[in-house]
């Protein structure tokens, strides 16, 4: 394994036990995240993007059962890389809790669901810092929090740090959530739809801020999104997910310039492109996402795919390497039948 791979996930699966039957939400997902790079995990709502990353860091309910060949995290914090098998760690054990925050941190989708309305901003930012640094004085933690708010471009940070979430705009709250994720200086930042509730201008500011932090501190970022514009702007590598499975993965240029899976092609055709002709229609993907509990064998996208054949409805569709580093899970692509 390359020295630059900081997170290596191999055949991760997650099953949720419901009143009906056990349902596989994540299916044999594999990907690698390299140090200092951004991996975008793309797909429609409900395709398993968030559950995949919550499974990696063990932030799931007790009725979720997680298996994997391995989920290997390599810490480059000091000296030789130190390896952790995350799939072998207890979800709320000492080691796993010591990694969440200082090593791997998460920016959640809705800042109002992440911030406690009855605590001041400063108290929420320093909570993780004090937890992972038992000998740190609150005054020192408060100074670190103030420095982080200034770094994130929050005006009048000395005043804002003593305010409550309801006193801030959506963009400010999102910056606070990023501050909470960044305060312990993690090596991996998982950003789950970090700009969904923000207008376009604030979206651009937030993503530029994350790129700046990545460049300055060589952070690795996993961006969970369905916004292909953000993917084009931010990502180095892309994994396209559908119904809990990675259907295509590769470098950003390969995915955008030579998409091979019909689902990837559909996602790109449904997005407006700057300079496109006014009379050129956007093509929506037909049908709707099926219920995971109703899926049986074959390609999960078969019911919506215009190229579906009988072979697509049998067994598990394997992953093929179309070109070095470019993987696709499609029989048509494997036979060289892509237009």
């Amino acid at each position: 394994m390359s020295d630059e791979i900081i997170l290596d996930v191999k055949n991760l699966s997650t099953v949720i036990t419901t009143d009906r039957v056990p349902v596989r939400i994540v299916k044999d997902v594999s990907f690698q995240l390299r140090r200092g790079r951004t991996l975008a995990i793309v797909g429609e709502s409900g395709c398993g993007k968030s559950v995949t990353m919550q499974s990696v860091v063990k932030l799931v309910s007790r009725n979720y059962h997680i298996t994997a060949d391995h989920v290997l995290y390599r810490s480059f914090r000091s000296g030789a890389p130190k390896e952790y098998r995350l799939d072998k760690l207890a979800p709320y054990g000492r080691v796993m809790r010591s990694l969440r925050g200082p090593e791997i941190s998460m920016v959640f989708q809705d800042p109002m669901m992440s911030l406690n309305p009855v605590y001041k901003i400063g108290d929420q930012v320093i909570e993780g810092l004090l937890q992972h640094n038992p000998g740190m004085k609150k005054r020192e933690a408060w100074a670190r929090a103030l420095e982080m708010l200034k770094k994130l471009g929050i005006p009048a940070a000395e005043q804002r740090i003593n305010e409550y979430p309801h006193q801030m705009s959506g963009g400010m709250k999102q910056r606070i959530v990023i501050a909470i994720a960044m305060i312990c200086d993690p090596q991996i930042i998982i950003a789950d739809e970090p700009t969904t509730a923000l207008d376009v201008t604030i979206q651009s500011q937030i993503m530029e801020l994350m790129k700046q932090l990545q460049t300055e501190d060589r952070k690795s970022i996993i961006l969970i999104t369905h916004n292909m514009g953000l993917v084009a702007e931010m990502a180095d590598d892309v994994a396209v997910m559908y119904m809990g499975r990675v259907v295509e993965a590769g470098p950003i240029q390969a995915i955008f310039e030579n998409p091979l899976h019909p689902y990837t092609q559909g996602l790109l055709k449904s997005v407006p492109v700057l300079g496109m002709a006014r009379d050129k229609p956007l093509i929506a993907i037909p049908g709707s996402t099926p219920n995971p509990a109703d899926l049986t064998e074959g390609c999960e996208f078969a019911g919506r795919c215009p190229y579906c054949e009988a072979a697509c409805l049998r067994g598990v569709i394997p992953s093929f390497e179309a070109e070095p580093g470019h993987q696709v899970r499609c029989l048509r692509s494997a036979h060289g039948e892509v237009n």
Side-chain angles (χ1 to χ4, degrees):
M1 184 170 64
S2 168
D3 289 339
E4 290 298 302
I5 294 176
I6 191 170
L7 181 64
D8 184 23
V9 177
K10 183 69 172 178
N11 290 333
L12 172 72
S13 295
T14 303
V15 176
I16 179 173
T17 303
T18 67
D19 294 336
R20 294 173 57 191
V21 291
V23 179
R24 292 183 72 195
I25 302 297
V26 178
K27 307 170 185 175
D28 301 320
V29 168
S30 299
F31 63 84
Q32 293 178 329
L33 174 66
R34 296 184 181 276
R35 192 180 181 197
R37 292 171 71 88
T38 297
L39 167 68
I41 301 181
V42 186
E44 294 172 283
S45 297
C47 72
K49 306 184 299 295
S50 298
V51 176
T52 296
M53 294 317 305
Q54 290 167 5
S55 298
V56 167
V57 295
K58 304 287 187 71
L59 286 177
V60 293
S61 303
R62 296 184 184 276
N63 61 330
Y64 285 70
H65 178 64
I66 304 168
T67 60
D69 288 354
H70 65 248
V71 178
L72 183 61
Y73 167 66
R74 309 178 82 204
S75 174
F76 291 86
R77 192 167 294 281
S78 60
K82 186 175 180 179
E83 297 186 349
Y84 298 88
R85 283 285 303 272
L86 302 186
D87 55 306
K88 299 295 185 182
L89 298 178
Y92 300 102
R94 180 183 58 83
V95 178
M96 192 70 238
R97 286 187 288 112
S98 72
L99 295 176
R100 295 194 204 104
E103 299 287 341
I104 306 173
S105 196
M106 197 161 186
V107 179
F108 293 98
Q109 182 171 352
D110 185 352
M112 277 312 299
M113 296 297 292
S114 304
L115 297 175
N116 192 318
V118 301
Y119 284 94
K120 292 181 178 179
I121 292 300
D123 290 324
Q124 298 188 58
V125 174
I126 69 172
E127 181 181 5
L129 200 58
L130 293 175
Q131 179 180 348
H132 295 289
N133 299 273
M136 180 176 287
K137 302 294 185 182
K138 186 174 181 179
R139 180 180 300 176
E140 180 185 353
W142 200 266
R144 287 270 298 273
L146 184 59
E147 180 184 355
M148 178 60 69
L149 296 189
K150 291 179 178 178
K151 187 175 183 179
L152 293 174
I154 294 179
E158 294 85 354
Q159 173 187 338
R160 294 291 190 177
I161 199 171
N162 286 295
E163 292 182 345
Y164 294 88
H166 73 272
Q167 296 175 275
M168 296 189 169
S169 66
M172 287 295 178
K173 284 195 280 279
Q174 190 65 68
R175 289 171 189 258
I176 297 302
V177 171
I178 294 175
I180 293 172
M182 293 290 299
I183 193 67
C184 293
D185 193 29
Q187 295 195 61
I188 296 177
I189 303 169
I190 303 170
D192 188 358
E193 300 279 10
T195 60
T196 297
L198 306 178
D199 60 59
V200 176
T201 303
I202 303 301
Q203 278 189 27
S204 177
Q205 293 176 3
I206 294 295
M207 299 318 296
E208 190 62 36
L209 173 63
M210 294 190 69
K211 287 171 66 175
Q212 178 184 343
L213 294 172
Q214 182 181 34
T215 302
E216 292 176 354
D217 303 325
R218 208 181 178 193
K219 306 293 184 187
S220 301
I221 296 176
I222 296 178
L223 177 63
I224 302 172
T225 185
H226 57 260
N227 187 329
M228 299 303 286
L230 285 183
V231 174
E233 179 185 354
M234 288 286 297
D236 300 299
D237 305 286
V238 181
V240 181
M241 288 190 68
Y242 185 76
M243 295 307 298
R245 202 181 292 279
V246 174
V247 296
E248 187 166 1
I252 182 70
Q253 294 85 357
I255 299 298
F256 272 75
E257 296 175 7
N258 185 32
L260 299 177
H261 196 282
Y263 180 61
T264 309
Q265 295 169 358
L267 287 178
L268 292 173
K269 289 178 181 178
S270 65
V271 176
V273 178
L274 187 65
M276 69 185 297
R278 290 187 178 184
D279 58 349
K280 184 177 180 180
L282 295 177
I283 303 174
I285 300 174
S288 58
T289 306
N291 186 332
D294 296 334
L295 294 174
T296 54
E297 288 188 329
C299 175
E300 287 81 2
F301 191 60
R304 306 174 69 185
C305 180
Y307 311 108
C308 179
E309 299 179 354
C312 302
L313 303 175
R314 296 193 296 267
V316 177
I317 308 301
S319 182
F320 304 93
E321 187 170 50
E323 54 186 318
H326 188 177
Q327 304 283 336
V328 60
R329 194 180 295 273
C330 177
L331 296 178
R332 180 170 174 269
S333 302
H335 298 152
E337 299 174 0
V338 179
N339 295 328

